[in-house]
Amino acid sequence: MTERFSNWDAAEHLRTLEDARLYMQACADEDPGDGSLIRAALNDVARSGNMAGLAREAGMSREGLYKALSAGGNPTFATVVRIVRALGLRLHIA
């Protein structure tokens, strides 16, 4: 019998703001220090909702949002803050 696998996409499982918050917290805790996991998590959270609406709320174009959060993206801290706020989340440093 052949095993079959499918791609798993975190964005398909982020249904509430609390889901997004917990996911972002876990990714921030596990980030290797270069922000790559946080950027990837923001991408997942953004894709779980309305990208065009999020881009508008963050004051960016939809294409700019996709580019900033892509695997090769390197968003500025200001961009990250705008996206986090547009998602209805807050950054907290402890």
Side-chain angles (χ1 to χ4, degrees), residues 15-80:
R15 294 184 177 94
T16 67
L17 186 57
E18 182 67 2
D19 291 343
R21 185 190 70 77
L22 291 170
Y23 180 62
M24 288 296 305
Q25 183 63 53
C27 290
D29 290 347
E30 297 298 322
D31 188 81
D34 63 0
S36 61
L37 192 54
I38 294 169
R39 186 217 29 86
L42 274 175
N43 185 26
D44 292 337
V45 172
R47 288 184 305 105
S48 74
N50 177 352
M51 287 291 275
L54 177 61
R56 197 171 29 259
E57 184 73 25
M60 0 180 14
S61 70
R62 185 173 171 264
E63 295 78 17
L65 180 60
Y66 272 112
K67 183 178 178 183
L69 298 179
S70 70
N74 189 18
T76 65
F77 186 70
T79 299
V80 170

